[in-house]
Amino acid sequence: MLTARGISKTYKTGEIACPALRDTTITIAAGEFSALCGPSGSGKTTLLNILGCIDSSDSGELFLDGKPLAASGKDAMARIRRENFGFIFQTYNLIPVLSVYENVALPLTLLGRKEGVRDAVMAMLEKVGLTGMENRRPAQLSGGQQQRVSVARALVKHPRIVFADEPTANLDSETGEGVINLMREINRAQGTAFLFSTHDRQIMEHAARLIRIRDGRIEEETT
Ligand code: ADP
Ligand code: MG
């Protein structure tokens, strides 16, 4: 479904160049549930952001369903991202002044959706176990609950692939397992593909496919 071919990325701060990804090639198939594993600084965040079109690479190409993404232009690319990709972040990235309901509704609002928004949001909140909490602010929730809100926000528009950057790193192991299990349930029920990064062995074990990254290179893949 999504292929990145020959992706390289170097960050430059002043005189110092820091290669974050070196000639990386990876394919994400429809409906897969995969973990991107590697130590801190190995390039996990950079790769997820480039695959999800949040960041651009210095070289290499992205293909969605075999079509090159860059060829469609900036606006079209932004639309493709909004329609097809969902994101979950380590620190949740919820908007503090918005309620739980408003945070989850936001992706639909951004897509210009007007009809069926309330039903879609309430159904998603039920799925992640947060019914009755829709009027709370993020700060009035536990870390695990906040991450469930961000799972709901990522999934409310039914994306084809969700990128999750260390989604359990700020959670205790039991709560983290709960969030991964929730993602797995949604993956099975809706066929949404997930690519999540982690360096936690317990979390890796839930993945159907392990993708290892080290020094900006994908080292080994076991399926
Ligand atoms: P990970 O998510 O696996 O910890 P990152 O993708 O964040 O790895 O980082 C890969 C490398 O790129 C690291 O060496 C990191 O220091 C560097 N890096 C990441 N973001 C930036 C940035 N904005 N500016 C400069 N260097 C960066
Ligand atoms: Mg990271």
Side-chain angles (χ1 to χ4, degrees), residues 44-45 90 165-166:
K44 301 184 296 297
T45 297
Q90 178 177 342
D165 194 6
E166 305 211 32

Side-chain angles (χ1 to χ4, degrees), residues 14-200:
E15 296 289 287
I16 305 154
C18 175
L21 285 180
R22 308 164 201 249
D23 194 20
T24 302
T25 293
I26 182 173
T27 292
I28 305 299
E32 72 173 57
F33 195 75
S34 305
L36 179 62
C37 317
S40 179
S42 57
K44 301 184 296 297
T45 297
T46 305
L47 180 58
L48 290 175
N49 288 350
I50 289 172
L51 287 171
C53 306
I54 288 182
D55 197 1
S56 58
S57 58
D58 299 333
S59 56
E61 269 190 296
L62 283 176
F63 302 86
L64 186 64
D65 303 322
K67 291 190 203 93
L69 274 179
S72 49
K74 248 199 156 112
D75 291 349
M77 215 164 137
R79 204 192 62 237
I80 289 165
R81 183 188 68 215
R82 279 202 295 271
E83 287 175 351
N84 293 282
F85 303 156
F87 295 90
I88 297 168
F89 302 94
Q90 178 177 342
T91 51
Y92 328 128
N93 288 18
L94 300 172
I95 298 181
V97 297
L98 298 183
S99 67
V100 165
Y101 177 91
E102 289 164 336
N103 268 283
V104 176
L106 196 58
L108 297 177
T109 315
L110 291 174
L111 282 172
R113 201 84 68 77
K114 294 204 172 61
E115 265 156 54
V117 170
R118 184 153 191 95
D119 287 350
V121 173
M122 297 310 272
M124 211 53 235
L125 285 174
E126 188 185 347
K127 202 164 280 177
V128 302
L130 291 177
T131 300
M133 303 208 180
E134 50 276 358
N135 294 324
R136 293 205 195 176
R137 296 279 169 90
Q140 297 171 306
L141 300 175
S142 70
Q145 289 169 333
Q146 289 185 61
Q147 198 59 305
R148 283 171 182 270
V149 175
S150 78
V151 171
R153 177 185 57 183
L155 285 150
V156 72
K157 60 186 179 181
H158 294 285
R160 295 166 68 193
I161 178 163
V162 171
F163 300 99
D165 194 6
E166 305 211 32
T168 63
N170 280 30
L171 304 174
D172 64 71
S173 59
E174 200 181 319
T175 311
E177 290 250 322
V179 168
I180 290 292
N181 285 331
L182 171 66
M183 284 164 42
R184 184 59 162 155
E185 271 168 40
I186 292 165
N187 162 257
R188 287 212 168 100
Q190 296 182 184
T192 315
F194 282 81
L195 177 61
F196 58 94
S197 67
T198 185
H199 46 240
D200 182 336

